[in-house]
Amino acid sequence: MGTIVDARGLSCPQPVLMTMDEIKRMSKGEIEILVDTDTSKENVSRAALSKGWTVKDVKEEGEGYRVTIVGS
């Protein structure tokens, strides 16, 4: 099971910073990021890609999104 970063209710850049901290901590594996805006979804995905991680899935969930990224 991967790590979950719950960034719901937070404005950018906070979700991106939380994601980057988790990427640095893990270096590989799977991270699920919970966000509640389109802007956060896009920024988190772009930040993950910039670090060589892959966006595995983006699902609408309630009033937000679950972004799953994978690093290897």
Side-chain angles (χ1 to χ4, degrees), residues 10 14 40 43-44 52 59 62 65:
L10 301 174
Q14 197 62 34
S40 294
N43 289 343
V44 163
K59 291 182 184 172
Y65 301 93

Side-chain angles (χ1 to χ4, degrees), residues 2-3 5 18-31 47-54 69-72:
T3 299
V5 174
M18 291 171 70
T19 301
M20 298 302 273
D21 285 346
E22 201 60 32
I23 285 174
K24 286 179 189 171
R25 190 183 72 75
M26 292 181 60
S27 74
K28 65 179 182 178
E30 184 172 299
I31 305 172
L49 291 172
S50 76
K51 293 298 179 186
W53 285 55
T54 302
I69 62 173
V70 178
S72 53

Side-chain angles (χ1 to χ4, degrees), residues 1 9 13 21 27 32-33 35 37 41 43 48 50 59 61 64:
M1 181 174 171
D21 285 346
S27 74
E32 295 180 345
I33 304 101
V35 295
T37 66
K41 174 188 70 171
N43 289 343
S50 76
K59 291 182 184 172
E61 193 170 279

